[in-house]
Amino acid sequence: MSTVIEPLRWGNGELWILDQRKLPARVAWIRARRAETVARAIESLAVRGAPVIGIAAAYGVALEARRQPTPSRVRRAIERLARTRPTGRNLFYALDEMTRALEGRPGDLSRRLERKAREIHRRDARACLAMARHGVLLLAEGERVLTYCNTGALATGGIGTALGVIRFGHQRRKVSEVFACETRPVGQGARLTVWECAKLGIPVTLICDNMAAALMKAGRVDRVLVGADRIARNGDTSNKIGTLSLAVAARRFGVPFHVVAPLTTFDTSLLSGRAIRIEERDPAEVLRTVPGLHRLRGVQVWNPAFDVTPGAWITSFITDHGVLHPPFRF
Ligand code: MRU
């Protein structure tokens, strides 16, 4: 099995998006030649994970500049992409970079924006390596690590955030086993993390989300490593819904709990997590997990995509600039 995992491929003025909704059953690609195709791929979770959402959006802007190289059309594409998913910081970071490139000196707009998108992609790949290098130093030999959602190559421009640390850890015999939570309702853990671990030869044990506390209580988890979508100045961290329950259990059972994220995920304009806008998604995502449920009348569904873990409950933040603690002032 090949160990190369690429959620995006750029070439000949086209963006190829690995359709993550189809994994692990099928490897299928979406061809994007317009920003609108990229925006829909982000909304539908064909491409997901905070860092790679930003990278995909940057390429979406570059695609639009190829089709219609006028600042007003490109600006409209940026606005459309900004409306896709509100919580992750990286999307807005990348779109701000593209806006700055758009406003730069005159010249070939489309080339300039393509160059910028590629640069954002490369920078994230480098950030992933830096996080893995810093993170692996915290691990002792043979640790059993619990992780949530998918934070690997599928979610970034490189080897991943939390899963990148795990990958380095496994190569250096510091990670002996990974527990991947299913991550309801869409199953990023069961479908994507398990797939990545299997491809990389990392021993992985899949658990349902409601088994994590029992596993920690049984002393079978040495450390929790998760990613992030947006981190406020005081360390409050939004991540996939369910992360908060893991943090509660980790605190109760004395298991170190780390967030792994590049600086592009930090939003120091926010004093606390109270100001983070949490995306609410289509109830159908929850209803379709139980066959026949959608036919019942009067069933209400609450489907937030993320929750916020208090910064005070997070042991440390493993970033591309080292292991940090709040308050963050950059
Ligand atoms: O809804 P998703 O799949 O985009 O949510 C992804 C997560 O919450 C990840 O943990 C986060 O984006 C970090 S990915 C490196």
Side-chain angles (χ1 to χ4, degrees):
M1 217 193 308
S2 158
T3 57
V4 179
I5 301 167
E6 281 177 311
L8 300 175
R9 284 184 192 157
W10 172 264
N12 299 327
E14 292 177 343
L15 179 67
W16 289 88
I17 299 171
L18 177 61
D19 189 344
Q20 299 190 28
R21 295 166 303 179
K22 306 281 195 307
L23 289 172
R26 220 150 48 81
V27 174
W29 293 85
I30 297 166
R31 178 162 73 173
R33 286 187 279 197
R34 308 170 49 206
E36 181 58 28
T37 312
V38 178
R40 288 185 189 175
I42 294 172
E43 285 165 344
S44 67
L45 308 185
V47 59
R48 37 63 50 203
V52 82
I53 288 173
I55 298 164
Y59 282 125
V61 175
L63 286 176
E64 210 56 26
R66 267 183 97 92
R67 274 167 46 88
Q68 324 235 22
T70 65
S72 64
R73 297 301 293 230
V74 175
R75 226 167 259 128
R76 220 175 303 159
I78 291 175
E79 283 160 17
R80 168 70 182 100
L81 287 157
R83 286 195 300 273
T84 52
R85 298 194 72 191
T87 304
R89 164 76 185 126
N90 309 60
L91 169 65
F92 301 92
Y93 168 84
L95 292 177
D96 285 351
E97 290 261 309
M98 296 306 280
T99 304
R100 272 197 292 278
L102 172 68
E103 286 160 359
R105 63 202 142 61
D108 188 339
L109 187 65
S110 129
R111 279 247 208 109
R112 197 161 75 229
L113 292 178
E114 176 177 336
R115 257 203 314 272
K116 181 52 80 177
R118 283 172 176 277
E119 184 191 318
I120 291 170
H121 195 166
R122 273 197 308 271
R123 258 194 262 146
D124 191 64
R126 281 200 299 271
C128 288
L129 287 174
M131 284 180 272
R133 281 194 205 105
H134 293 300
V136 83
L137 298 177
L138 297 177
L139 307 178
E141 208 182 305
E143 289 198 3
R144 299 152 304 168
V145 176
L146 184 138
T147 191
Y148 201 63
C149 194
N150 171 265
T151 61
L154 288 170
T156 63
I159 62 168
T161 58
L163 205 54
V165 174
I166 289 170
R167 186 167 169 168
F168 262 36
H170 175 251
Q171 285 164 357
R172 288 154 184 73
R173 297 180 188 280
K174 289 183 154 193
V175 171
S176 59
E177 184 172 16
V178 176
F179 290 103
C181 298
E182 215 180 3
T183 319
R184 288 232 162 188
V186 182
Q188 291 94 331
R191 294 183 305 102
L192 308 177
T193 298
V194 164
W195 184 73
E196 283 201 38
C197 286
K199 267 176 100 71
L200 296 168
I202 301 173
V204 61
T205 301
L206 175 64
I207 63 167
C208 299
D209 299 334
N210 52 4
M211 298 169 185
L215 196 72
M216 288 190 224
K217 183 167 182 272
R220 294 181 58 188
V221 179
D222 298 308
R223 201 176 295 275
V224 178
L225 294 175
V226 298
D229 289 85
R230 193 181 289 255
I231 301 166
R233 197 186 300 181
N234 70 346
D236 289 357
T237 295
S238 63
N239 191 49
K240 177 55 52 194
I241 186 76
T243 305
L244 175 62
S245 337
L246 293 182
V248 170
R251 198 171 148 78
R252 175 66 185 80
F253 298 115
V255 178
F257 182 99
H258 307 266
V259 166
V260 189
L263 289 198
T264 49
T265 304
F266 288 71
D267 183 352
T268 52
S269 74
L270 304 182
L271 291 181
S272 82
R274 268 199 298 275
I276 298 177
R277 190 171 148 210
I278 299 294
E279 173 187 3
E280 291 215 14
R281 294 188 58 84
D282 189 345
E285 283 181 351
V286 176
L287 291 173
R288 72 168 81 97
T289 61
V290 179
L293 195 55
H294 68 281
R295 277 195 233 106
L296 297 182
R297 294 269 154 252
V299 178
Q300 305 294 317
V301 172
W302 182 51
N303 186 19
F306 304 99
D307 55 28
V308 177
T309 298
W313 297 1
I314 297 167
T315 310
S316 70
F317 292 78
I318 301 167
T319 79
D320 44 331
H321 288 248
V323 178
L324 307 179
H325 295 91
F328 302 113
R329 296 183 215 284
F330 35 80

